[in-house]
Short mmCIF file of all heavy atoms in Angstrom, two decimals:
data_model
loop_
_atom_site.label_atom_id
_atom_site.label_comp_id
_atom_site.label_asym_id
_atom_site.label_seq_id
_atom_site.Cartn_x
_atom_site.Cartn_y
_atom_site.Cartn_z
N MET A 244 -2.36 11.68 8.64
CA MET A 244 -3.11 10.57 8.05
C MET A 244 -2.35 9.27 8.31
O MET A 244 -1.12 9.26 8.43
CB MET A 244 -3.27 10.82 6.56
CG MET A 244 -4.33 9.94 5.92
SD MET A 244 -4.53 10.25 4.16
CE MET A 244 -5.75 11.54 4.21
N ASN A 245 -3.03 8.19 8.36
CA ASN A 245 -2.39 6.90 8.61
C ASN A 245 -1.92 6.26 7.31
O ASN A 245 -2.22 6.72 6.21
CB ASN A 245 -3.32 5.98 9.39
CG ASN A 245 -4.57 5.63 8.61
OD1 ASN A 245 -4.61 5.70 7.40
ND2 ASN A 245 -5.59 5.23 9.33
N LEU A 246 -1.18 5.19 7.43
CA LEU A 246 -0.62 4.52 6.27
C LEU A 246 -1.70 4.04 5.31
O LEU A 246 -1.60 4.27 4.10
CB LEU A 246 0.25 3.34 6.74
CG LEU A 246 1.00 2.60 5.65
CD1 LEU A 246 2.00 3.53 4.98
CD2 LEU A 246 1.71 1.40 6.23
N LEU A 247 -2.73 3.41 5.82
CA LEU A 247 -3.80 2.92 4.95
C LEU A 247 -4.51 4.07 4.26
O LEU A 247 -4.86 3.98 3.08
CB LEU A 247 -4.79 2.06 5.75
CG LEU A 247 -5.88 1.37 4.94
CD1 LEU A 247 -5.29 0.53 3.82
CD2 LEU A 247 -6.74 0.52 5.84
N GLY A 248 -4.71 5.15 4.97
CA GLY A 248 -5.32 6.33 4.36
C GLY A 248 -4.47 6.89 3.23
O GLY A 248 -4.98 7.28 2.18
N ASP A 249 -3.16 6.92 3.43
CA ASP A 249 -2.25 7.39 2.38
C ASP A 249 -2.31 6.47 1.16
O ASP A 249 -2.28 6.94 0.03
CB ASP A 249 -0.81 7.45 2.90
CG ASP A 249 -0.60 8.54 3.94
OD1 ASP A 249 -1.45 9.45 4.05
OD2 ASP A 249 0.41 8.48 4.67
N ILE A 250 -2.38 5.18 1.41
CA ILE A 250 -2.48 4.23 0.31
C ILE A 250 -3.79 4.44 -0.43
O ILE A 250 -3.81 4.45 -1.67
CB ILE A 250 -2.38 2.77 0.83
CG1 ILE A 250 -0.97 2.51 1.36
CG2 ILE A 250 -2.73 1.78 -0.29
CD1 ILE A 250 -0.83 1.19 2.11
N ASP A 251 -4.89 4.62 0.29
CA ASP A 251 -6.18 4.85 -0.35
C ASP A 251 -6.16 6.09 -1.24
O ASP A 251 -6.67 6.07 -2.37
CB ASP A 251 -7.29 4.99 0.69
CG ASP A 251 -7.72 3.66 1.27
OD1 ASP A 251 -7.53 2.62 0.60
OD2 ASP A 251 -8.24 3.66 2.41
N VAL A 252 -5.55 7.17 -0.76
CA VAL A 252 -5.45 8.39 -1.56
C VAL A 252 -4.64 8.11 -2.82
O VAL A 252 -5.03 8.52 -3.92
CB VAL A 252 -4.80 9.53 -0.74
CG1 VAL A 252 -4.43 10.70 -1.62
CG2 VAL A 252 -5.74 9.97 0.37
N TYR A 253 -3.54 7.40 -2.67
CA TYR A 253 -2.71 7.06 -3.82
C TYR A 253 -3.50 6.22 -4.84
O TYR A 253 -3.45 6.49 -6.04
CB TYR A 253 -1.47 6.30 -3.35
CG TYR A 253 -0.63 5.77 -4.49
CD1 TYR A 253 0.28 6.58 -5.13
CD2 TYR A 253 -0.79 4.46 -4.94
CE1 TYR A 253 1.03 6.10 -6.19
CE2 TYR A 253 -0.05 3.98 -5.99
CZ TYR A 253 0.87 4.80 -6.62
OH TYR A 253 1.60 4.33 -7.67
N LEU A 254 -4.22 5.22 -4.35
CA LEU A 254 -4.99 4.35 -5.24
C LEU A 254 -6.06 5.14 -6.00
O LEU A 254 -6.26 4.93 -7.20
CB LEU A 254 -5.62 3.20 -4.46
CG LEU A 254 -4.65 2.21 -3.82
CD1 LEU A 254 -5.42 1.18 -3.00
CD2 LEU A 254 -3.76 1.54 -4.84
N GLN A 255 -6.74 6.02 -5.30
CA GLN A 255 -7.78 6.82 -5.94
C GLN A 255 -7.19 7.77 -6.98
O GLN A 255 -7.74 7.94 -8.06
CB GLN A 255 -8.56 7.62 -4.90
CG GLN A 255 -9.44 6.76 -4.03
CD GLN A 255 -10.10 7.55 -2.91
OE1 GLN A 255 -9.85 8.73 -2.73
NE2 GLN A 255 -10.93 6.87 -2.14
N ARG A 256 -6.07 8.38 -6.64
CA ARG A 256 -5.44 9.35 -7.52
C ARG A 256 -4.88 8.70 -8.79
O ARG A 256 -4.96 9.27 -9.87
CB ARG A 256 -4.34 10.10 -6.77
CG ARG A 256 -3.76 11.26 -7.55
CD ARG A 256 -2.66 11.96 -6.82
NE ARG A 256 -1.52 11.05 -6.73
CZ ARG A 256 -0.83 10.81 -5.63
NH1 ARG A 256 -1.12 11.42 -4.51
NH2 ARG A 256 0.18 9.98 -5.63
N THR A 257 -4.31 7.51 -8.64
CA THR A 257 -3.62 6.88 -9.76
C THR A 257 -4.46 5.84 -10.51
O THR A 257 -4.14 5.51 -11.64
CB THR A 257 -2.35 6.17 -9.28
OG1 THR A 257 -2.70 5.14 -8.36
CG2 THR A 257 -1.38 7.15 -8.65
N GLY A 258 -5.49 5.31 -9.85
CA GLY A 258 -6.29 4.27 -10.48
C GLY A 258 -5.64 2.90 -10.44
O GLY A 258 -6.10 1.97 -11.10
N VAL A 259 -4.58 2.76 -9.66
CA VAL A 259 -3.89 1.48 -9.52
C VAL A 259 -4.73 0.56 -8.64
O VAL A 259 -5.29 0.99 -7.63
CB VAL A 259 -2.48 1.69 -8.89
CG1 VAL A 259 -1.82 0.37 -8.56
CG2 VAL A 259 -1.62 2.51 -9.82
N ALA A 260 -4.81 -0.70 -9.01
CA ALA A 260 -5.56 -1.68 -8.21
C ALA A 260 -4.80 -1.99 -6.91
O ALA A 260 -3.57 -1.89 -6.86
CB ALA A 260 -5.74 -2.96 -9.01
N GLU A 261 -5.55 -2.35 -5.88
CA GLU A 261 -4.94 -2.69 -4.60
C GLU A 261 -3.89 -3.79 -4.75
O GLU A 261 -2.81 -3.71 -4.15
CB GLU A 261 -6.01 -3.17 -3.61
CG GLU A 261 -6.96 -2.11 -3.16
CD GLU A 261 -8.00 -2.63 -2.19
OE1 GLU A 261 -7.99 -3.85 -1.86
OE2 GLU A 261 -8.82 -1.82 -1.74
N THR A 262 -4.22 -4.81 -5.51
CA THR A 262 -3.29 -5.94 -5.66
C THR A 262 -2.03 -5.52 -6.40
O THR A 262 -0.93 -5.96 -6.07
CB THR A 262 -3.96 -7.11 -6.39
OG1 THR A 262 -4.50 -6.64 -7.64
CG2 THR A 262 -5.08 -7.72 -5.55
N THR A 263 -2.18 -4.66 -7.39
CA THR A 263 -1.02 -4.17 -8.13
C THR A 263 -0.12 -3.34 -7.23
O THR A 263 1.10 -3.48 -7.25
CB THR A 263 -1.47 -3.35 -9.34
OG1 THR A 263 -2.30 -4.16 -10.16
CG2 THR A 263 -0.28 -2.84 -10.14
N PHE A 264 -0.73 -2.48 -6.42
CA PHE A 264 0.06 -1.67 -5.49
C PHE A 264 0.85 -2.56 -4.54
O PHE A 264 2.05 -2.36 -4.34
CB PHE A 264 -0.84 -0.73 -4.68
CG PHE A 264 -0.08 0.02 -3.63
CD1 PHE A 264 0.64 1.15 -3.97
CD2 PHE A 264 -0.05 -0.43 -2.32
CE1 PHE A 264 1.37 1.83 -2.99
CE2 PHE A 264 0.68 0.24 -1.35
CZ PHE A 264 1.38 1.38 -1.69
N GLY A 265 0.18 -3.51 -3.93
CA GLY A 265 0.86 -4.41 -2.98
C GLY A 265 1.99 -5.17 -3.63
O GLY A 265 3.07 -5.33 -3.05
N ARG A 266 1.76 -5.64 -4.83
CA ARG A 266 2.79 -6.39 -5.56
C ARG A 266 3.98 -5.49 -5.87
O ARG A 266 5.13 -5.88 -5.69
CB ARG A 266 2.20 -6.99 -6.84
CG ARG A 266 3.11 -7.99 -7.51
CD ARG A 266 2.45 -8.66 -8.70
NE ARG A 266 1.31 -9.47 -8.29
CZ ARG A 266 0.05 -9.22 -8.60
NH1 ARG A 266 -0.26 -8.19 -9.36
NH2 ARG A 266 -0.92 -10.01 -8.21
N ARG A 267 3.71 -4.28 -6.35
CA ARG A 267 4.79 -3.36 -6.69
C ARG A 267 5.55 -2.88 -5.45
O ARG A 267 6.77 -2.74 -5.48
CB ARG A 267 4.25 -2.14 -7.43
CG ARG A 267 3.82 -2.44 -8.83
CD ARG A 267 3.27 -1.19 -9.47
NE ARG A 267 2.77 -1.45 -10.81
CZ ARG A 267 2.05 -0.58 -11.50
NH1 ARG A 267 1.73 0.59 -10.99
NH2 ARG A 267 1.63 -0.90 -12.71
N ALA A 268 4.82 -2.60 -4.39
CA ALA A 268 5.44 -2.02 -3.20
C ALA A 268 6.26 -3.03 -2.41
O ALA A 268 7.41 -2.76 -2.04
CB ALA A 268 4.38 -1.40 -2.30
N VAL A 269 5.66 -4.19 -2.14
CA VAL A 269 6.33 -5.15 -1.24
C VAL A 269 6.19 -6.59 -1.69
O VAL A 269 6.39 -7.51 -0.91
CB VAL A 269 5.83 -4.99 0.21
CG1 VAL A 269 6.20 -3.64 0.77
CG2 VAL A 269 4.33 -5.19 0.31
N ASN A 270 5.82 -6.77 -2.96
CA ASN A 270 5.67 -8.12 -3.53
C ASN A 270 4.62 -8.96 -2.78
O ASN A 270 4.80 -10.16 -2.56
CB ASN A 270 7.02 -8.85 -3.57
CG ASN A 270 7.01 -9.99 -4.56
OD1 ASN A 270 6.30 -9.94 -5.56
ND2 ASN A 270 7.77 -11.03 -4.28
N ASP A 271 3.54 -8.29 -2.37
CA ASP A 271 2.45 -8.96 -1.66
C ASP A 271 1.12 -8.43 -2.18
O ASP A 271 0.67 -7.37 -1.74
CB ASP A 271 2.56 -8.72 -0.15
CG ASP A 271 1.47 -9.41 0.65
OD1 ASP A 271 0.59 -10.09 0.04
OD2 ASP A 271 1.48 -9.28 1.88
N PRO A 272 0.49 -9.14 -3.10
CA PRO A 272 -0.76 -8.64 -3.68
C PRO A 272 -1.91 -8.53 -2.68
O PRO A 272 -2.89 -7.83 -2.94
CB PRO A 272 -1.09 -9.64 -4.78
CG PRO A 272 -0.33 -10.87 -4.44
CD PRO A 272 0.89 -10.42 -3.69
N ARG A 273 -1.79 -9.18 -1.54
CA ARG A 273 -2.86 -9.11 -0.52
C ARG A 273 -2.60 -8.04 0.54
O ARG A 273 -3.36 -7.90 1.50
CB ARG A 273 -3.01 -10.46 0.15
CG ARG A 273 -3.47 -11.54 -0.81
CD ARG A 273 -3.64 -12.84 -0.11
NE ARG A 273 -2.44 -13.14 0.67
CZ ARG A 273 -2.14 -14.31 1.19
NH1 ARG A 273 -2.94 -15.31 1.02
NH2 ARG A 273 -1.05 -14.48 1.87
N LEU A 274 -1.56 -7.25 0.36
CA LEU A 274 -1.17 -6.26 1.37
C LEU A 274 -2.30 -5.35 1.79
O LEU A 274 -2.62 -5.24 2.97
CB LEU A 274 0.01 -5.43 0.85
CG LEU A 274 0.39 -4.24 1.73
CD1 LEU A 274 0.99 -4.72 3.04
CD2 LEU A 274 1.34 -3.32 1.00
N VAL A 275 -2.93 -4.67 0.84
CA VAL A 275 -3.95 -3.68 1.18
C VAL A 275 -5.16 -4.36 1.82
O VAL A 275 -5.69 -3.88 2.82
CB VAL A 275 -4.36 -2.85 -0.06
CG1 VAL A 275 -5.47 -1.87 0.28
CG2 VAL A 275 -3.15 -2.11 -0.63
N ARG A 276 -5.56 -5.49 1.27
CA ARG A 276 -6.69 -6.22 1.86
C ARG A 276 -6.37 -6.62 3.30
O ARG A 276 -7.21 -6.47 4.20
CB ARG A 276 -7.01 -7.46 1.04
CG ARG A 276 -8.22 -8.21 1.57
CD ARG A 276 -8.40 -9.55 0.94
NE ARG A 276 -7.29 -10.40 1.39
CZ ARG A 276 -7.11 -11.64 1.00
NH1 ARG A 276 -7.91 -12.18 0.12
NH2 ARG A 276 -6.12 -12.35 1.46
N ASP A 277 -5.17 -7.10 3.53
CA ASP A 277 -4.77 -7.50 4.88
C ASP A 277 -4.72 -6.31 5.82
O ASP A 277 -5.11 -6.42 6.99
CB ASP A 277 -3.42 -8.22 4.85
CG ASP A 277 -3.48 -9.59 4.20
OD1 ASP A 277 -4.60 -10.09 3.94
OD2 ASP A 277 -2.40 -10.16 3.94
N LEU A 278 -4.25 -5.16 5.35
CA LEU A 278 -4.23 -3.96 6.18
C LEU A 278 -5.65 -3.56 6.56
O LEU A 278 -5.91 -3.17 7.71
CB LEU A 278 -3.54 -2.81 5.46
CG LEU A 278 -2.03 -2.94 5.26
CD1 LEU A 278 -1.51 -1.82 4.37
CD2 LEU A 278 -1.30 -2.97 6.59
N ARG A 279 -6.57 -3.67 5.61
CA ARG A 279 -7.98 -3.33 5.90
C ARG A 279 -8.57 -4.29 6.94
O ARG A 279 -9.46 -3.91 7.69
CB ARG A 279 -8.82 -3.40 4.63
CG ARG A 279 -8.49 -2.33 3.62
CD ARG A 279 -9.51 -2.33 2.49
NE ARG A 279 -9.04 -1.61 1.33
CZ ARG A 279 -8.92 -0.29 1.25
NH1 ARG A 279 -9.20 0.45 2.30
NH2 ARG A 279 -8.50 0.28 0.15
N ARG A 280 -8.08 -5.50 6.97
CA ARG A 280 -8.58 -6.50 7.93
C ARG A 280 -7.85 -6.48 9.26
O ARG A 280 -8.06 -7.35 10.09
CB ARG A 280 -8.47 -7.89 7.31
CG ARG A 280 -9.42 -8.08 6.15
CD ARG A 280 -9.33 -9.46 5.60
NE ARG A 280 -10.32 -9.66 4.56
CZ ARG A 280 -10.52 -10.79 3.94
NH1 ARG A 280 -9.79 -11.85 4.23
NH2 ARG A 280 -11.44 -10.88 3.01
N GLY A 281 -6.95 -5.52 9.45
CA GLY A 281 -6.33 -5.37 10.74
C GLY A 281 -4.86 -5.75 10.83
O GLY A 281 -4.27 -5.70 11.91
N ARG A 282 -4.26 -6.12 9.71
CA ARG A 282 -2.82 -6.44 9.74
C ARG A 282 -2.05 -5.22 10.21
O ARG A 282 -2.29 -4.10 9.78
CB ARG A 282 -2.35 -6.83 8.33
CG ARG A 282 -0.87 -7.11 8.23
CD ARG A 282 -0.52 -7.55 6.82
NE ARG A 282 0.89 -7.70 6.62
CZ ARG A 282 1.44 -8.03 5.46
NH1 ARG A 282 0.68 -8.24 4.40
NH2 ARG A 282 2.74 -8.14 5.34
N VAL A 283 -1.13 -5.44 11.12
CA VAL A 283 -0.31 -4.36 11.64
C VAL A 283 1.10 -4.51 11.06
O VAL A 283 1.82 -5.45 11.41
CB VAL A 283 -0.25 -4.39 13.19
CG1 VAL A 283 0.64 -3.30 13.71
CG2 VAL A 283 -1.65 -4.30 13.77
N PRO A 284 1.48 -3.61 10.16
CA PRO A 284 2.79 -3.72 9.53
C PRO A 284 3.90 -3.30 10.48
O PRO A 284 3.73 -2.39 11.30
CB PRO A 284 2.70 -2.77 8.34
CG PRO A 284 1.70 -1.75 8.75
CD PRO A 284 0.71 -2.49 9.64
N GLY A 285 5.01 -3.96 10.36
CA GLY A 285 6.18 -3.60 11.16
C GLY A 285 6.85 -2.36 10.60
O GLY A 285 6.50 -1.86 9.52
N PRO A 286 7.85 -1.86 11.31
CA PRO A 286 8.53 -0.64 10.87
C PRO A 286 9.19 -0.76 9.50
O PRO A 286 9.16 0.18 8.71
CB PRO A 286 9.59 -0.40 11.95
CG PRO A 286 9.25 -1.30 13.08
CD PRO A 286 8.34 -2.36 12.58
N ALA A 287 9.77 -1.90 9.20
CA ALA A 287 10.44 -2.08 7.91
C ALA A 287 9.43 -2.04 6.77
O ALA A 287 9.67 -1.41 5.73
CB ALA A 287 11.23 -3.38 7.89
N LEU A 288 8.29 -2.70 6.96
CA LEU A 288 7.25 -2.70 5.93
C LEU A 288 6.67 -1.31 5.75
O LEU A 288 6.47 -0.85 4.62
CB LEU A 288 6.14 -3.70 6.29
CG LEU A 288 5.02 -3.88 5.28
CD1 LEU A 288 5.58 -4.31 3.93
CD2 LEU A 288 4.02 -4.88 5.78
N CYS A 289 6.44 -0.60 6.84
CA CYS A 289 5.95 0.78 6.75
C CYS A 289 6.92 1.65 5.97
O CYS A 289 6.51 2.45 5.13
CB CYS A 289 5.74 1.36 8.15
SG CYS A 289 4.29 0.74 9.00
N ALA A 290 8.20 1.49 6.25
CA ALA A 290 9.21 2.29 5.57
C ALA A 290 9.21 2.01 4.07
O ALA A 290 9.32 2.95 3.26
CB ALA A 290 10.58 2.02 6.17
N ARG A 291 9.08 0.75 3.69
CA ARG A 291 9.05 0.40 2.27
C ARG A 291 7.83 1.00 1.58
O ARG A 291 7.93 1.55 0.48
CB ARG A 291 9.07 -1.11 2.09
CG ARG A 291 10.42 -1.72 2.43
CD ARG A 291 10.40 -3.21 2.39
NE ARG A 291 10.16 -3.70 1.03
CZ ARG A 291 9.99 -4.97 0.72
NH1 ARG A 291 10.04 -5.89 1.67
NH2 ARG A 291 9.79 -5.33 -0.52
N ILE A 292 6.69 0.92 2.23
CA ILE A 292 5.46 1.47 1.65
C ILE A 292 5.55 2.99 1.55
O ILE A 292 5.23 3.58 0.51
CB ILE A 292 4.23 1.06 2.48
CG1 ILE A 292 4.02 -0.45 2.40
CG2 ILE A 292 2.99 1.81 2.01
CD1 ILE A 292 3.02 -0.99 3.39
N GLU A 293 6.03 3.63 2.60
CA GLU A 293 6.13 5.09 2.60
C GLU A 293 7.12 5.56 1.54
O GLU A 293 6.91 6.59 0.90
CB GLU A 293 6.53 5.59 3.98
CG GLU A 293 5.40 5.44 4.98
CD GLU A 293 5.82 5.68 6.42
OE1 GLU A 293 7.02 5.94 6.68
OE2 GLU A 293 4.95 5.59 7.29
N ALA A 294 8.18 4.80 1.32
CA ALA A 294 9.14 5.16 0.26
C ALA A 294 8.48 5.11 -1.10
O ALA A 294 8.70 5.99 -1.95
CB ALA A 294 10.35 4.24 0.33
N ILE A 295 7.67 4.09 -1.34
CA ILE A 295 6.97 3.97 -2.62
C ILE A 295 5.99 5.13 -2.78
O ILE A 295 5.93 5.76 -3.85
CB ILE A 295 6.21 2.63 -2.72
CG1 ILE A 295 7.20 1.46 -2.73
CG2 ILE A 295 5.29 2.59 -3.92
CD1 ILE A 295 8.08 1.38 -3.94
N LEU A 296 5.24 5.43 -1.73
CA LEU A 296 4.26 6.51 -1.82
C LEU A 296 4.93 7.86 -2.07
O LEU A 296 4.46 8.65 -2.89
CB LEU A 296 3.42 6.58 -0.54
CG LEU A 296 2.48 5.40 -0.30
CD1 LEU A 296 1.84 5.53 1.07
CD2 LEU A 296 1.45 5.27 -1.38
N SER A 297 6.03 8.13 -1.40
CA SER A 297 6.68 9.42 -1.56
C SER A 297 7.40 9.52 -2.90
O SER A 297 7.43 10.58 -3.51
CB SER A 297 7.64 9.71 -0.40
OG SER A 297 8.69 8.77 -0.41
N ALA A 298 7.96 8.42 -3.38
CA ALA A 298 8.65 8.44 -4.67
C ALA A 298 7.67 8.67 -5.80
O ALA A 298 7.97 9.38 -6.76
CB ALA A 298 9.40 7.13 -4.87
N ARG A 299 6.51 8.10 -5.71
CA ARG A 299 5.52 8.23 -6.78
C ARG A 299 4.71 9.50 -6.67
O ARG A 299 4.03 9.88 -7.60
CB ARG A 299 4.61 7.01 -6.79
CG ARG A 299 5.46 5.78 -7.13
CD ARG A 299 4.66 4.54 -7.17
NE ARG A 299 5.60 3.44 -7.32
CZ ARG A 299 5.37 2.38 -8.03
NH1 ARG A 299 4.23 2.23 -8.62
NH2 ARG A 299 6.25 1.42 -8.12
N ALA A 300 4.77 10.15 -5.51
CA ALA A 300 4.04 11.40 -5.35
C ALA A 300 4.79 12.56 -6.01
O ALA A 300 4.22 13.57 -6.34
CB ALA A 300 3.83 11.71 -3.87
N SER A 301 6.08 12.38 -6.21
CA SER A 301 6.91 13.45 -6.78
C SER A 301 6.69 13.59 -8.27
O SER A 301 6.35 12.74 -8.97
CB SER A 301 8.37 13.15 -6.55
OG SER A 301 8.63 12.87 -5.21
#
């Protein structure tokens, strides 16, 4: 699954708003919206998001 798909699953499972997730993960409330519009995250940003997703999945 891709990064945006993983985020969507997390949002659905937890009920967290997109803006809240972006703010908590990388201090950017527009993160998810920007990803949906085609923003391509760099490796460092991907790593930060994946760390948040894996830490909260446990």
Side-chain angles (χ1 to χ4, degrees):
M244 195 179 271
N245 64 22
L246 185 63
L247 186 55
D249 291 343
I250 293 170
D251 283 335
V252 168
Y253 174 83
L254 295 176
Q255 290 174 356
R256 188 181 67 227
T257 62
V259 172
E261 292 180 0
T262 54
T263 302
F264 175 81
R266 191 175 295 114
R267 288 179 183 168
V269 295
N270 200 30
D271 181 359
R273 296 181 310 194
L274 172 69
V275 177
R276 183 190 68 182
D277 290 349
L278 290 172
R279 292 189 197 289
R280 292 182 175 184
R282 176 177 174 182
V283 178
L288 183 58
C289 285
R291 289 174 65 186
I292 294 168
E293 289 170 358
I295 295 293
L296 292 174
S297 65
R299 296 180 187 216
S301 308

